[in-house]
Every structure is written in structure tokens, then in C-alpha cells.
Amino acid sequence: MCGIVGYVGARPCEEILVAGLEKLEYRGYDSAGVAMMIPGGIEKVRAVGNLAKLKEALEVAERQGIAPAPDENGEYTGIAHTRWATHGRVTEANAHPHSDESGEVQIVLNGIVENHADLRAALQADGCEFSSETDAEVVAHLIHKHFDDDLTEAVRAAYTELRGHYAIVAMHASVPGVIVGARKECPLIIGIGKDGTENFLASAIPAFMASTRRVLTIENGELVTLTGHDVRIETIEGEPVDRESELVEWDEEEAEKAGYDTFMMKEIHEQPEAIAETILDRMPHDDGVDLSDVGLSDEYLTNVERITIVACGTSYHAGLIGRYAIGEWARVPVGMDIASEFRYSNPVIGKGDLVIGITQSGETADTLAAMRLAREAGATVLAVTNIMGSQATRDSDAVMYTRAGLEIGVAATKTFVAQVAAMYLLALRLAELRGTLPHERVVELVAEIKAIPDKMDETIEKVSESVVEISGRHYDQSFFLFLGRHIGLPVCLEGALKLKEASYIPSDAYAAGEMKHGPIALLDENTPVVCVATDSPILDKMLSNIEEVRARGAQTIAVATEGNGRVEGVAEETILIPRTDWVLQPLLAIIPLQLLAYHVARLNGLNVDQPRNLAKTVTVE
């Protein structure tokens, strides 16, 4: 795994290339190098070791008068590479870029050329002289062999002779302002520069994200010819490829684990930031919510007659919390349905209804079908999604983005809390417009919601150790039951889902008042029962349910609000979370349940980022 960066554009390229390599150093750190157009040809600088060694070598080259220069069109051209050795020792001679014996062709490569030995022998028989032990150098010689004033055609001809998996980027001294890339299985991405003055090629998006977030993908078997003002993609057979660029919303660091053992744990810790990004600019004042970016007028929200929420999986649980909040604050009738059921139930909807489709990816097949059905029936459709430009944004009348950033772990964490936060904002805005809450209550809730990111940080810090201990006592149990009431019930549903996804342990979540109607038969002295018992108007009822569970010998684990000793007096084990408004408690109460699922799974030796049989996006029915 090596890192590639290429640049053509109006800015001096040395610092751009090195900065790109810094973002890709995790892909290789044995050696590194750059090749840049200078007056009269190409200069190459390479060094063994990490990028600090390359920077030192570049400083020496600069003192010797070697520096990139623009061509007659004012464009700088360069390619760069950070290596993880496969063929050949870690030496400067084996560091990329590699060239033919004339030095006119310079290439960087990620991957392996499987037939390099045969190609090397044939090229040497033709008189080529090699200077490295690498498999990559044969590519430079092949391009030189086939070059006839057209770099794209030379790369194409070389490509047809190669076997293996690789990505190549090449430049030629007689073709300034041009780099050509080719891909076979290894990653290669185009960065479309701003103002039509520069473009990039790289192994991964973070390499150029400091300069642009607009990207074009290159598929297997495709070539790309890049200048500072133009990008041309074609198949290896020479057929042109017309492909739209995409705008990437996440930043460089989000594609990496940032020091955490897993993406799931990293994303649990990113939840406060996801909430802050979702809410703060939509609460510019202390006395209300601004949803002008969503696309639903105040007049419409004031007069909406009925709301239906459709979603699947974790998004369904976020929708359930939204249903409670809208009902509690705005007093609007709200229905909630699983999207796969809604679409086949011949639903009674029409003009005057607002249908909210919640989908993290914006591509969930059942949710999209439900949204389309609602629009065909005359309803107004609002998409709540994390991905700009996704299908959900095209199948809706309005869009509310959750801004959680890139989530890699299959088990949703930060996207769930961002969805819940979005639903709270909608609920509070509806209450404002419809006058269903006193002004002072709106002010109070705005302050409480703004405080949630800090309280989430506090929750993660305070509960982590106790959750590890509790997980160690229960990780080998064969069944977990989750119990909650009112707004605590969807928290239990989500907690049970996380445990199933991450640990494969059967678990069930029930409304605590329904326990006596069947689930109580499952309880014995080995059954952990996780109870969401945060402060609420129905806490007394929840405490009675915990007593009933303990009377059957089950082991009770309660999530409770700090300062409420009543819960600690009833449950055997208690996890305390910071105090906030009772309707907002799910944003804090879910964190211990996410951590419980995480640690139980890890104690059982499981891969929490890629649970078996699951995919991040469900695009099939």
C-alpha cells in the first residue's frame, strides 16, 4: 500500500505535493520522493525514511538551485509518492518516482506488477538499463518505449502489457502541464481544483482536501489525462467516459481512526461534534430555531395537519423519539411506520400531510420507495439524511441534513444522535410557530439543546469505566432484555439493536408496561435486564417495573439521571448520566448502551466495525 499524489496547476507544486504525502503517510513510510518540471526537463528528489527526510532533501535541492518552474502556459507539474516496500529493499534507488534511463519519463505506482520479471528481461534485451530492484520501474521503460509525442497513448500501450493490480501516474519531460493516470483495482481519485486553474490525482481524497472537496472517481480499466484546466477520462479501449463530479463533505481526518482502536469507538466519541454541527447554526438566538435551510416555509409548518415518519433500523428508532418530541411539544398528530411496511400498507395520506423519510445514507431502498409513494399521493416529503446529493434529496420536497460527517462503522452511532437532534429541532420549531409552548419554555429548551454536546462529552468520560466493568460481568450471557417507557422505549430499541449487531447476542426491547404480557417468562437469575430509568413524568411506573424484574431474580442494570437516588436504591447496577430536560435524555442515555454493545462484542473477540451479514447501506428490498 503506497501513496500517490499528482498535481498540475497554477501554483508552485512542491509544497502541495509534500502536503498531500503527509495525508497519505499512513499508506507507506519506508521512503518518499517527488518529480517536478523544471526548466529544461524534470528533476527528481528522493529520500529514505519518513517525510521529514524528504523535506531535508528538498531543502538541499533548493540550495542547489533546483526548484519547480512553470511551463509556457504558467502551469506547474509534479508527482509524488510515499512507499511501503514490496519489491526491492528500502533504498533511495528503489524509492519512487522511477524513470527510464533517459529521465524523460517519471512514474509513481501503487500496487504490484505481477509480470515484472518477464517484462524486465524483454526490456533489457532491447537495451534498457535498470537502476532499481522494483517491479514499478518496468512501467517507466514501457511508457518510454511506446511514447510518440502522446503520453496518454503511451500509458495506454504500457497498461495493456501489465498484469497485476496497480494505479499509475506518469509525466514526460516533453509534455509539460500534463499527467496521465491509469487504474487497475488500486485506488486513484481525481480532485477538481477551484476556478479551473488546477487539478489533482491521488490514492485517497485526504491528499488534496486542503485544496478542493470536488472529486471524480476513476473506475478499473480507465485512463485519465489531466491538465490544470481539463480532465479527460476514457476506457483503456479509448472510449470517452462522461462522469459527474461529487462534493465531499467530510474532512481529511474523518477517514482515519484518529488513534482509536476501531471506527465505532472513534465515532462514539465524535457524537458531541455531530450534535454541535447539526444544531448550533440552526439556533443562532436564544429563543428559537431557524430552519430556513430546510426548505419548508413557516406558513406550511404552521398549518400542517398531520405528520407521518417512515424509516428503517436505527433511523426508525430516531423517528420514534421524534414522534414523542413533536407530540409533546407541538401537539401535532404523528404516525410512525417502518418504511418496508408503510409502502405495502395502502397508507391513507394525501395533501396536507407531511411525510418525513429518515435515512442516514439517503439510499435506503424501502425508505426511498415510501417517500416516492407519499409524493405520488400528494403529501409533502421531507428527507432527513446525512449525505448531500443522495437519492433521498432528489425524491423529496425539502431536506434537513444531519451533518454527522463520514461514518465508517456499520453499527450507526453518531448518525443516530444527529438524526435525533434534527427531530428535536423540527419539533421545537413546530411548537414555536403553532404557539403550543410558552416562550419561556422555548428559551429553556434552546439552552438545554445547546448544552447537549458538552453533556455528551461529560457522559462519555463519566460512564466509560463503569460500562467496561458491567460488560465484563455480563458479556458471556446468552440473552439480554431491555425495558423502557415513553421516550425511553426507543432508546431501549436502539440499545438492543446495537447489542445484536455488534455482539450477535439475542436481545429484545419491550415497553416496560408490556412485560407482564409475555416477556417476563424469559427471566431467570442469569438474565441481564437493561432499564432506561431516566427522570420523566412516568419514572414511578418504571421503578415498579424494575422491582417486578428483580422479584423474578433477574440482574438489573439501570441508566438513570444523576442525583436520583431512587433508581440506585432499586437497581443492582446503575449508570448515571448528566441531568437535562427529560425529553432530551435519549441523547445521553444511548451512550452507555452503545458502549455496552461495544465492550460486550470486543470481550467476545468480534469485529465491531464490520458485523457479519450487515452492510452500511441497505440498497435492496
Side-chain angles (χ1 to χ4, degrees), residues 249 293-295 357-364 367-368 371-372 375 381-403:
E249 290 299 317
D293 65 313
V294 171
I358 308 178
T359 162
Q360 180 275 137
S361 66
E363 305 290 346
T364 309
T367 305
L368 293 175
M371 292 164 61
R372 287 192 288 267
R375 286 186 93 186
V381 174
L382 168 66
V384 177
T385 185
N386 197 46
I387 306 298
M388 292 186 71
S390 60
Q391 188 63 44
T393 67
R394 299 191 289 275
D395 289 349
S396 57
D397 301 293
V399 182
M400 190 173 188
Y401 291 107
T402 51
R403 305 173 182 166

Side-chain angles (χ1 to χ4, degrees), residues 22 85 121 124 127 129-130 142 150 179 186 196 246 285 327 372 375 392 439 462 476 511 518 588-589 607 614:
E22 287 176 336
Q124 286 174 326
E129 297 180 4
F130 282 74
L142 285 174
D150 190 330
I179 58 176
C186 289
E246 301 172 23
H285 308 294
R372 287 192 288 267
R375 286 186 93 186
H439 180 72
K462 286 186 174 180
D476 56 352
L588 307 181
N607 182 347
L614 298 177

Side-chain angles (χ1 to χ4, degrees), residues 217 219 221-223 231-235 238-243:
T217 57
E219 301 295 344
E222 292 182 350
L223 298 175
V231 174
R232 187 175 79 247
I233 303 175
E234 55 193 90
T235 67
E239 294 295 322
V241 174
D242 186 14
R243 184 174 295 133

Side-chain angles (χ1 to χ4, degrees), residues 21 31-35 44-47 51 54 79-82 95-97 108:
L21 290 182
S31 59
V34 299
K44 176 167 57 182
V45 178
R46 300 180 293 181
L51 288 179
L54 177 61
I79 58 177
H81 189 274
T82 182
H96 294 226
V108 289

Side-chain angles (χ1 to χ4, degrees), residues 45 53 119 320 332 357 363 414 423 455 485 491:
V45 178
K53 298 296 184 182
L119 291 170
L320 284 171
V332 180
E363 305 290 346
K414 64 177 181 174
M423 296 307 294
K455 290 185 178 181
R485 299 188 80 122
V491 179

Side-chain angles (χ1 to χ4, degrees), residues 101 122-129:
E101 63 265 35
L123 288 162
Q124 286 174 326
D126 286 342
C128 292
E129 297 180 4

Side-chain angles (χ1 to χ4, degrees), residues 82-313:
T82 182
R83 182 176 186 240
W84 187 77
T86 54
H87 293 76
R89 294 165 296 165
V90 179
T91 65
E92 183 174 322
N94 288 334
H96 294 226
H98 287 292
S99 65
D100 68 309
E101 63 265 35
S102 72
E104 292 182 321
V105 175
Q106 298 286 343
I107 69 100
V108 289
L109 181 144
N110 174 29
I112 295 174
V113 178
E114 294 174 354
N115 60 335
H116 71 97
D118 292 339
L119 291 170
R120 178 187 287 254
L123 288 162
Q124 286 174 326
D126 286 342
C128 292
E129 297 180 4
F130 282 74
S131 59
S132 79
E133 303 165 313
T134 68
D135 58 335
E137 188 182 347
V138 300
V139 180
H141 290 282
L142 285 174
I143 292 172
H144 175 73
K145 173 185 173 182
H146 293 295
F147 183 75
D148 186 15
D149 295 325
D150 190 330
L151 182 58
T152 302
E153 291 305 315
V155 172
R156 189 194 316 281
Y159 184 102
T160 61
E161 295 189 54
L162 301 174
R163 290 201 317 268
H165 56 279
Y166 47 79
I168 305 162
V169 178
M171 58 191 292
H172 196 287
S174 67
V175 192
V178 177
I179 58 176
V180 177
R183 179 189 173 200
K184 185 176 182 184
E185 298 180 7
C186 289
L188 196 60
I189 304 290
I190 303 166
I192 306 297
K194 301 172 184 176
D195 303 321
T197 61
E198 60 184 11
N199 289 304
F200 304 78
L201 274 174
S203 299
I205 294 171
F208 51 72
M209 285 191 71
S211 298
T212 181
R213 293 173 180 268
R214 188 159 293 282
V215 304
L216 258 175
T217 57
I218 305 171
E219 301 295 344
N220 285 328
E222 292 182 350
L223 298 175
V224 56
T225 303
L226 213 68
T227 70
H229 57 274
D230 186 50
V231 174
R232 187 175 79 247
I233 303 175
E234 55 193 90
T235 67
I236 200 65
E237 294 78 21
E239 294 295 322
V241 174
D242 186 14
R243 184 174 295 133
E244 293 292 324
S245 63
E246 301 172 23
L247 188 65
V248 173
E249 290 299 317
W250 42 272
D251 62 32
E252 301 99 301
E253 296 179 1
E254 289 181 288
E256 303 166 23
K257 292 180 183 175
Y260 293 99
D261 290 339
T262 65
F263 284 112
M264 184 177 177
M265 182 57 78
K266 172 177 176 282
E267 288 155 8
I268 287 172
H269 280 77
E270 288 174 340
Q271 290 181 122
E273 182 181 2
I275 294 291
E277 288 291 329
T278 300
I279 67 172
L280 290 183
D281 72 337
R282 290 167 172 152
M283 291 181 157
H285 308 294
D286 295 334
D287 61 350
V289 177
D290 179 358
L291 295 185
S292 56
D293 65 313
V294 171
L296 293 175
S297 69
D298 288 350
E299 180 182 6
Y300 175 81
L301 291 174
T302 302
N303 295 298
V304 65
E305 299 172 6
R306 185 177 58 168
I307 296 173
T308 299
I309 304 172
V310 292
C312 301

